[in-house]
Amino acid sequence: MRGLRVLPSGRPGRALLYVNLPDGRAVAWYDRQANRISVLAEDHREAVLKALRPYVTGSVSIGPPPVPTAADLLRLSLPPDADLAPNRPGEALLGELDHGSAGTRARHRIRQDLTAQQRMGDALDALEPHGWRVLHCVPLPGEGRIDHLLIGPSGILCVRTVAGHRQRAAVGDLLLTVGRAEPRPDPRWIRRAAARATAALGARVTPALALVDASRVEVAPSVRDIRVLRPPTAAPDLAAAPALLEPPAVEALFAQARDSRTWLRPPP
């Protein structure tokens, strides 16, 4: 059959490759770690094997998939253009650099913000072996984008990343100040974004600010509802945090969150 497309389940390096029809429906997937091809539509079996031939190494087992969970069914029904999982850290900023018309100073700021998001994104992606799932560049209509959304054993975090420029960063109840720059309303923004995410997912989402390359971070004692993260310690701290969510709940929430249509609904 012509038109079958092989797509990764998320960002490069993940273990699954999906084989989809032109309308986006999955007919098979290849688990590279287990070296197994699960065929959903037996009448497409030969076409699936042909499409996957460039990606298969060694001998593989082929057969029907295991009984899918609710999260699996939701993921398999997701159109590729609605899937947020392939988004890279700073995806929107990459688009601005490639296709935007910003001036020299603005492009320099965009590159600094992109570097910060990529560094933080890499640190958070390192949590996946510990049972966490991570999305980057999640759209919030009318509010911009959530830089990173983490779903894992100790809960859900909505993260806004700020470049520290090797200067002191001070986090207050309403404003964030980096060096001598004008204060920014990041604490207020991330609280609103977390509230939107809570409404969209039907589960409590904790607001978090990630300070990248700040020489020192000071947090006002009154700031108790926002979690402050830094790349060197974020992954170890979160991996060691007490578990609140079971793995099936993590996967179900991730399947819901990766669907861009979840975030396009107007806030209540």
Side-chain angles (χ1 to χ4, degrees):
M1 168 179 281
R2 294 182 179 180
L4 289 183
R5 295 196 298 166
V6 179
L7 298 170
S9 63
R11 293 175 298 281
R14 291 195 175 179
L16 298 181
L17 292 175
Y18 285 92
V19 183
N20 293 348
L21 294 173
D23 64 4
R25 288 183 296 125
V27 292
W29 70 82
Y30 172 39
D31 186 331
R32 289 176 286 185
Q33 291 181 345
N35 221 16
R36 173 180 172 79
I37 298 174
S38 296
V39 180
L40 293 168
E42 190 62 30
D43 53 328
H44 295 313
R45 180 187 180 103
E46 293 304 319
V48 164
L49 296 180
K50 183 177 179 180
L52 285 173
R53 192 172 298 153
Y55 308 95
V56 172
T57 57
S59 60
V60 297
S61 57
I62 305 169
V67 177
T69 64
D72 292 331
L73 292 173
L74 185 58
R75 182 184 70 245
L76 292 170
S77 65
L78 186 62
D81 59 353
D83 191 358
L84 298 175
N87 285 0
R88 298 163 292 178
E91 187 80 39
L93 298 179
L94 286 166
E96 288 185 39
L97 288 176
D98 290 342
H99 307 293
S101 57
T104 302
R105 291 185 63 182
R107 290 179 67 85
H108 178 67
R109 177 187 55 78
I110 291 171
R111 287 193 184 95
Q112 290 179 319
D113 291 343
L114 174 60
T115 299
Q117 290 191 31
Q118 289 174 331
R119 282 198 58 195
M120 197 65 214
D122 290 344
L124 299 178
D125 286 342
L127 285 165
E128 294 204 348
H130 301 283
W132 289 80
R133 298 293 177 262
V134 188
L135 291 171
H136 304 288
C137 203
V138 177
L140 278 184
E143 295 283 356
R145 291 175 176 82
I146 298 171
D147 294 336
H148 319 283
L149 186 78
L150 284 80
I151 304 172
S154 62
I156 310 172
L157 276 74
C158 172
V159 183
R160 186 171 180 87
T161 296
V162 179
H165 306 297
R166 299 183 180 178
Q167 296 177 314
R168 166 185 169 273
V171 182
D173 278 317
L174 302 178
L175 299 172
L176 165 68
T177 304
V178 176
R180 297 184 179 181
E182 287 292 319
R184 306 160 39 133
D186 296 277
R188 285 182 288 178
W189 189 94
I190 198 61
R191 287 189 182 101
R192 290 198 308 270
R196 288 278 300 273
T198 295
L201 298 176
R204 182 176 180 271
V205 177
T206 299
L209 290 173
L211 282 302
V212 179
D213 279 339
S215 62
R216 185 169 80 255
V217 177
E218 298 174 0
V219 182
S222 55
V223 179
R224 299 174 182 173
D225 59 328
I226 297 177
R227 186 156 188 167
V228 177
L229 307 174
R230 301 183 72 179
T233 59
D237 288 350
L238 290 170
L244 302 173
L245 296 175
E246 295 293 329
V250 171
E251 294 300 332
L253 285 165
F254 180 67
Q256 181 183 359
R258 70 189 293 174
D259 186 344
S260 63
R261 296 167 296 186
T262 297
W263 307 97
L264 297 178
R265 303 180 188 116

